[in-house]
Amino acid sequence: MKKMRLLVTLALCTVLGLVSVVGQTYQYPSEERVQELLDEIEDCKQKLKNTQAEIKNMEDNPADYTLADYKEAEMLVERIKTCLAARRAELDSIRKEYPGWFNSPNAVLPYNRHDRITPRSLEERLKDLEKKISRILDRFEGLPKPKGR
């Protein structure tokens, strides 16, 4: 009877240990690649918006542009749409491959290529902070000072 309990306990511990190990080996997508795809999608959207505005300007002012310029802008719109579709398709394939990660509230993308801290940007941020602090302190200048002992 004791041997049977020992075997059942040993089997249970083994199974639970394997489940724990398998759960820890879950692979996550490359966060950098996901962020790059999101950035590229945003870039494509912005380029598409700018190019469509340029085409609208060409249509409003046809005397200022040649037909070649107009056709080139139309071809650029098609290339941008193709680029956008390709990036979205790649992002969707990653979503299908890692559905648990995309639906998890713990999934974060700390990598942001547009917000890298460089010495120049750090100096600008510090100067901006210094200006804000100066403005706040200047607001206190007009207040009466308490009388000391």
Side-chain angles (χ1 to χ4, degrees):
M1 192 64 159
K2 282 187 175 186
K3 290 182 181 181
M4 187 61 107
R5 282 188 205 166
L6 180 64
L7 286 175
V8 170
T9 305
L10 185 61
L12 184 63
C13 289
T14 303
V15 169
L16 291 176
L18 286 175
V19 169
S20 174
V21 169
V22 169
Q24 291 176 4
T25 59
Y26 178 75
Q27 297 293 317
Y28 297 102
S30 168
E31 293 175 4
E32 289 83 10
R33 183 62 187 147
V34 172
Q35 185 63 47
E36 285 175 10
L37 286 172
L38 292 172
D39 289 342
E40 289 172 5
I41 288 172
E42 287 303 314
D43 290 344
C44 288
K45 285 180 182 178
Q46 188 62 40
K47 287 177 185 175
L48 182 63
K49 183 179 172 184
N50 293 343
T51 306
Q52 287 174 338
E54 186 178 329
I55 288 175
K56 175 96 170 91
N57 187 31
M58 287 180 184
E59 290 171 350
D60 292 343
N61 304 312
D64 296 340
Y65 300 97
T66 65
L67 181 61
D69 292 335
Y70 183 77
K71 291 293 183 183
E72 185 178 334
E74 282 184 334
M75 287 182 356
L76 182 59
V77 165
E78 292 305 315
R79 284 196 308 261
I80 292 171
K81 286 181 180 178
T82 303
C83 170
L84 192 57
R87 299 306 180 268
R88 285 182 175 160
E90 187 176 349
L91 189 61
D92 286 341
S93 71
I94 292 174
R95 276 193 183 117
K96 288 177 185 175
E97 193 173 337
Y98 302 100
W101 186 80
F102 279 91
N103 296 328
S104 171
N106 297 331
V108 293
L109 291 173
Y111 174 75
N112 188 350
R113 70 176 181 164
H114 297 296
D115 196 27
R116 291 190 179 151
I117 297 176
T118 62
R120 179 174 288 150
S121 68
L122 183 60
E123 183 178 359
E124 289 172 0
R125 289 178 185 184
L126 288 174
K127 285 182 181 179
D128 185 46
L129 183 62
E130 184 179 337
K131 286 177 187 176
K132 288 178 182 177
I133 291 172
S134 294
R135 276 188 261 146
I136 291 172
L137 291 176
D138 290 342
R139 289 177 36 200
F140 289 114
E141 288 297 320
L143 295 176
K145 296 182 180 178
K147 296 182 181 180
R149 295 182 188 175

